[in-house]
Amino acid sequence: MLTFIGLGLYDERSITVEGQEALRNADRAYAEFYTSKLIGTSVDDLESHHGIDIEVRDRAGVEQHPEDILEAAETEDVAFLTAGDTMISTTHVDLRLRAHERGIETRVIHGVTAQTATSSLTGLQNYRFGKATTLPFPYAHGADGLPASVTETIDANREDGLHTVVYLDIKVGHERTEEDEYMTADVGAELLAEEYPDLVGVVVARAGSPDPLVEAGTMTDLAEREFGDPLHLLVVPGECHLLEADALVELAGADRDALDVV
């Protein structure tokens, strides 16, 4: 069997009880942390806490060369670990389908996602979020200004009155830098301010940790602030119900007059 396990958002304790039991009972475990990462822990701490060795794979090792993972799952109980919820990335859906092609049984044990945590921390209702987008580092997309994928998503959601989650780029094992690189919210806001200087954004930092941060302001304002350790993301509120507006004012320090309240 191949069991996909979401580790949650922050550290080795963020996993569900069901996920913890499945991981500890597995014969072997693989993980990837290039789509997201648990900032509050390390692989060594994960291994020690759950009593199992974990082989971390890079993108190529999951997407292009997963044969050894699949071969192991044909005869053993194999756990595949990711931060957040394991099926958010199409990489993992592809791996699951490859397992099915080989006749390998699979199951999914979910974890908390950044999207649901963002809704909870900001008070914005989950059903009022539209399509999400990812803001890449400028060197990663190579074009001038914001990518169309970002502006088109924000603009379309705003036309429909919907909120937008803007995930901020993560580079793990990138040739440009020896260390992992995480876009911070001030950098993201600075990039977005080129197109949307007066647009209200909400920073969500360290969701799932003991000290999450939620702060609202215009993109120009947010670009001048510091938000501490990663991971960060940005939310662009759409039309807000009265309760949502109250939540952003109380929980994020938003200026009510700057919100689109309906």
Side-chain angles (χ1 to χ4, degrees):
M1 176 181 282
L2 179 57
T3 302
F4 295 84
I5 303 174
L7 294 172
L9 293 179
Y10 185 66
D11 62 18
E12 68 275 8
R13 301 169 301 162
S14 299
I15 192 172
T16 64
V17 173
E18 182 184 11
Q20 178 175 276
E21 291 177 351
L23 177 55
R24 292 180 176 180
N25 290 329
D27 296 311
R28 66 175 67 196
Y30 299 88
E32 67 83 359
F33 296 116
Y34 56 84
T35 54
S36 188
K37 189 173 183 177
L38 300 180
I39 292 296
T41 192
S42 65
V43 175
D44 287 343
D45 287 342
L46 280 169
E47 290 178 326
S48 176
H49 187 77
H50 296 293
I52 190 169
D53 293 333
I54 300 171
E55 180 178 333
V56 179
R57 307 302 293 267
D58 60 13
R59 184 181 294 273
V62 176
E63 296 180 357
Q64 300 172 28
H65 308 292
E67 290 81 10
D68 57 335
I69 300 175
L70 297 171
E71 287 173 3
E74 289 179 331
T75 58
E76 299 176 294
D77 285 333
V78 174
F80 186 84
L81 313 173
T82 70
D85 186 280
T86 184
M87 281 298 149
I88 294 299
S89 172
T90 54
T91 292
H92 314 137
V93 177
D94 178 70
L95 183 59
R96 190 182 187 196
L97 294 177
R98 292 190 191 208
H100 279 221
E101 289 174 359
R102 289 177 176 239
I104 299 169
E105 186 178 357
T106 66
R107 64 171 170 160
V108 177
I109 300 177
H110 300 285
V112 178
T113 70
Q115 171 103 26
T116 55
T118 294
S119 177
S120 299
L121 289 169
T122 61
L124 296 174
Q125 296 303 297
N126 191 56
Y127 73 94
R128 293 186 53 77
F129 280 83
K131 178 183 175 182
T133 188
T134 297
L135 179 60
F137 288 107
Y139 69 80
H141 68 87
D144 293 331
L146 293 175
S149 59
V150 175
T151 56
E152 290 174 0
T153 298
I154 292 174
D155 293 345
N157 284 343
R158 292 181 71 204
E159 276 190 34
D160 293 334
L162 301 176
H163 314 311
T164 306
V165 171
V166 181
Y167 295 108
L168 303 179
D169 205 357
I170 296 174
K171 286 289 177 280
V172 175
H174 194 275
E175 59 186 17
R176 180 181 181 271
T177 176
E178 294 182 0
E179 297 183 356
D180 297 343
E181 191 172 11
Y182 307 93
M183 184 183 292
T184 55
D186 57 307
V187 172
E190 183 178 7
L191 294 171
L192 289 170
E194 296 177 10
E195 186 78 20
Y196 308 103
D198 299 319
L199 187 64
V200 173
V202 184
V203 174
V204 177
R206 297 176 298 282
S209 77
D211 62 340
L213 176 147
V214 183
E215 285 191 20
T218 66
M219 293 300 174
T220 301
D221 291 337
L222 296 176
E224 299 298 321
R225 303 184 197 175
E226 294 184 1
F227 303 101
D229 294 334
L231 295 173
H232 300 175
L233 60 76
L234 283 161
V235 179
V236 178
E239 294 178 350
C240 294
H241 292 163
L242 288 175
L243 187 61
E244 291 180 305
D246 289 343
L248 288 179
V249 171
E250 181 66 26
L251 302 177
D255 178 358
R256 181 181 292 272
D257 292 337
L259 301 174
D260 185 6
V261 183
V262 294

